[in-house]
Amino acid sequence: MNGVSVILPVYNDRTALEEAIPASIAALAAITETFEVIVAEDGSTDGSAEYVQEWHEKDPRVVLLHADERLGRGRALNRAIAAARYGIVCYYDVDLATDLAHLPELVGAIRDGADIATGSRLMPDSNIVRSGGREIASRGYNFLVRTILGSRLYDHQCGFKGFRRERILDLIPEIRAPHWFWDTESLVRGQRKGYRIAEFPVVWRQGPGTTVRFKDIFSMGSQILWLWWQIHVAKS
C-alpha cells in the first residue's frame, strides 16, 4: 500500500505536460519513495506521446500508456488503472486545476482506510475560481446527482480522485461510461456497494479555454437519467 500510481489523462495536452510531469514527480517524492506517473495519452496528435517518451528515457518512473485511437476519458482511466503497479491509484487533470498541495491528503485518505478519496470544489471550505456559467452548471449538475441518484457527496466531477486499487478494479466492470461521466458513475456505484468514500475541500482554479455549452448541459442531464435507468430498471 505504500506505493502510489498517479494517472494523468491526456489528449493533446503537450504544453500542460511540461508543468504537470515535473510537478507530479516533486509532489510524489515528498510522499513516498515508490511511485510512478502514468500518462494515459489518448490518441493525441500534438506530440504528447513523444514528449512523455523522452521523459521516460531519463526517468523510468514516468510511464507512457499510448492509445492509437481515441478511447475517451473513462476507458483510458480503466486501462491505466489496470496497468498501475501500486496499491494506491490516483488521477488528476493535467492542467493541475486542483492544487497539488492536496496530494498528501488524497493519498493519506486511502492509507487511512478509505476505498475512494475525492476532492470537492463545492464543500463550504473549498476555494475555487471559475466563470459564473460553469459554477451554475456544476451546482445544478451535482444537485441532480444527489437528488436523482441518491449520492451523499457534494462534488462528483472534480478531477482529483484516489482509489484503493483492488477495490476500484472490482468496481470497474460495472462502470460503463466511456468519457467524462466516469467520475460520477464511479462515485455513485461505489456508494451503492458500501465503499468508504472520503471527500475533502480543495483549492481549485479554472483552466484556460474551458466553456460550458448547451449540448454539454443536455449531456449531463441525460447521463444522470441513463445511470438511474441502469441502476433501478435494468438492474445493472
Side-chain angles (χ1 to χ4, degrees):
M1 277 292 291
N2 289 328
V4 179
S5 298
V6 154
I7 300 166
L8 298 176
V10 164
Y11 175 66
N12 286 342
D13 292 304
R14 165 71 172 74
T15 301
L17 283 167
E18 294 179 12
E19 179 181 357
I21 291 177
S24 296
I25 291 171
L28 284 162
I31 299 172
T32 178
E33 295 180 355
T34 309
F35 66 85
E36 63 181 347
V37 178
I38 302 172
V39 180
E41 184 275 307
D42 193 14
S44 298
T45 57
D46 68 342
S48 291
E50 292 78 6
Y51 180 73
V52 176
Q53 188 58 38
E54 290 173 7
W55 258 100
H56 175 73
E57 290 170 4
K58 62 184 178 181
D59 188 340
R61 297 174 300 183
V62 177
V63 180
L64 172 65
L65 194 61
H66 169 70
D68 289 328
E69 296 182 359
R70 191 89 196 268
L71 298 174
R73 174 186 172 89
R75 293 193 186 104
L77 283 171
N78 289 345
R79 183 176 178 227
I81 291 168
R85 297 171 58 193
Y86 301 118
I88 297 176
V89 180
C90 308
Y91 74 87
Y92 44 82
D93 293 335
V94 70
D95 64 359
L96 305 183
T98 303
D99 194 323
L100 281 186
H102 294 293
L103 191 58
E105 189 172 6
L106 187 72
V107 171
I110 304 300
R111 287 177 173 168
D112 290 342
D115 299 306
I116 301 174
T118 181
S120 175
R121 300 160 298 178
L122 299 178
M123 295 180 78
D125 292 333
S126 302
N127 181 336
I128 68 170
V129 174
R130 64 177 159 189
S131 68
R134 285 198 66 181
E135 178 72 4
I136 292 169
S138 177
R139 291 190 178 275
Y141 171 83
N142 284 288
F143 172 78
L144 290 176
V145 173
R146 289 192 296 273
T147 302
I148 296 173
L149 297 176
S151 175
R152 300 180 300 276
L153 303 173
Y154 285 85
D155 186 3
H156 303 82
Q157 286 300 108
C158 182
F160 196 77
K161 291 179 169 57
F163 307 92
R164 191 176 300 269
R165 182 171 176 269
E166 71 268 19
R167 295 288 273 166
I168 190 62
L169 284 175
D170 285 344
L171 193 63
I172 279 176
E174 299 180 22
I175 303 174
R176 301 183 182 183
H179 194 38
W180 64 267
F181 193 68
W182 192 99
D183 302 63
T184 295
E185 189 176 0
S186 64
L187 293 178
V188 170
R189 291 193 182 275
Q191 288 177 86
R192 291 183 62 83
K193 291 182 76 74
Y195 282 23
R196 180 180 170 188
I197 301 178
E199 184 179 24
F200 57 90
V202 296
V203 174
W204 187 92
R205 298 292 180 264
Q206 179 175 317
T210 52
T211 58
V212 177
R213 299 162 296 181
F214 176 78
K215 70 176 184 178
D216 297 326
I217 297 172
F218 177 80
S219 178
M220 290 175 184
S222 63
Q223 288 287 292
I224 292 169
L225 293 175
W226 169 84
L227 183 53
W228 180 90
W229 179 272
Q230 292 296 320
I231 290 170
H232 295 286
V233 180
K235 306 293 185 182
S236 63

